Amino acid sequence: SAVISQKPSRDICQRGTSLTIQCQVDSQVTMMFWYRQQPGQSLTLIATANQGSEATYESGFVIDKFPISRPNLTFSTLTVSNMSPEDSSIYLCSAPGQGSQETQYFGPGTRLLVL
Amino acid sequence: TQLLEQSPQFLSIQEGENLTVYCNSSSVFSSLQWYRQEPGEGPVLLVTVVTGGEVKKLKRLTFQFGDARKDSSLHITAAQPGDTGLYLCAGRADSWGKLQFGAGTQVVVTP
């Protein structure tokens, strides 16, 4: 398994500002993932973050809006830049379990409200 | 993109009743995972199934992976209010592929 923590757990931000979300995994993992879950919706993959290389973004998500850092094998950050109310969502960090690439675990999420 | 269709979208039942949630696709998955998400929490992994025809049991929950690895079901026996939550299925085309999520089934179990 993998134990994943996120900070902050929630925040209320003003439009035009940026928020950086931190994700910590209790074991070393090659890949970490960032998802968005809009109210009442399922999960949408934003990007895959590999240590030592640029993140790979999914269609509809760009690095300028969602810059990602991956400084080591247990940590990653996602920044939501120049926020608008449409960015209000839950942002989730995810990583595979130890010894099993098939299984994926999630952090508790960061609830963001943009006014 | 492989699409996973979950049904029903919403299910409201009384405590003690049984329920089944379905997850279907026209594509083959190397593995499929079921999660439960409660309000204010991240998704919690319930089970991973990898073999066609596989059946896994977790207390009152029974998970089945179709023989062709295109579909799965989650059956809850004698549901309890603690089973309330959003149930999500997610499949992977291969070991290194992206996890694709279904739309989710909101289950409400009333006392």
Side-chain angles (χ1 to χ4, degrees):
Chain A
S1 67
V3 178
I4 302 172
S5 59
Q6 286 184 235
K7 289 195 294 187
S9 59
R10 60 178 65 240
D11 208 342
I12 300 174
C13 301
Q14 297 296 320
R15 70 172 66 209
T17 63
S18 297
L19 176 72
T20 295
I21 302 167
Q22 299 179 11
C23 177
Q24 181 76 49
V25 185
D26 69 340
S27 59
Q28 294 184 337
V29 292
T30 304
M31 291 191 287
M32 294 175 72
F33 307 91
W34 287 99
Y35 289 80
R36 182 174 71 184
Q37 185 177 27
Q38 295 182 304
Q41 304 288 320
S42 187
L43 280 68
T44 301
L45 181 63
I46 297 172
T48 301
N50 292 323
Q51 196 270 334
S53 64
E54 292 283 333
T56 303
Y57 289 83
E58 297 302 303
S59 176
F61 298 96
V62 295
I63 188 171
D64 290 346
K65 176 67 176 177
F66 297 101
I68 287 171
S69 79
R70 185 75 206 276
N72 57 53
L73 291 173
T74 63
F75 188 80
S76 179
T77 67
L78 170 76
T79 298
V80 186
S81 303
N82 189 25
M83 288 184 284
S84 67
E86 292 70 35
D87 294 320
S88 297
S89 200
I90 301 172
Y91 292 86
L92 294 151
C93 175
S94 178
Q98 274 190 307
S100 173
Q101 191 63 34
E102 297 278 0
T103 302
Q104 202 163 309
Y105 296 87
F106 286 83
T110 295
R111 279 140 200 83
L112 172 62
L113 176 63
V114 184
L115 302 176
Chain B
T1 301
Q2 299 173 285
L3 294 178
L4 275 167
E5 296 183 359
Q6 275 189 249
S7 62
Q9 287 184 305
F10 182 80
L11 201 52
S12 180
I13 61 171
Q14 296 285 324
E15 182 176 3
E17 294 181 335
N18 302 332
L19 69 98
T20 302
V21 178
Y22 299 93
C23 182
N24 297 302
S25 174
S26 59
S27 303
V28 175
F29 291 95
S30 70
S31 67
L32 197 139
Q33 296 169 43
W34 284 93
Y35 295 86
R36 179 171 63 220
Q37 185 178 25
E38 299 183 26
E41 306 286 335
V44 174
L45 179 68
L46 296 174
V47 77
T48 300
V49 286
V50 297
T51 305
E54 183 176 6
V55 176
K56 281 192 174 179
K57 295 195 174 185
L58 184 65
K59 297 184 179 177
R60 294 175 294 100
L61 279 61
T62 301
F63 305 86
Q64 187 162 9
F65 201 14
D67 290 340
R69 305 208 314 276
K70 293 182 180 181
D71 55 85
S72 181
S73 64
L74 158 60
H75 182 79
I76 301 179
T77 304
Q80 299 177 0
D83 296 324
T84 293
L86 178 67
Y87 288 82
L88 295 157
C89 68
R92 203 186 295 279
D94 54 64
S95 295
W96 295 95
K98 290 176 285 192
L99 203 56
Q100 303 285 347
F101 277 86
T105 297
Q106 182 64 52
V107 172
V108 176
V109 183
T110 54

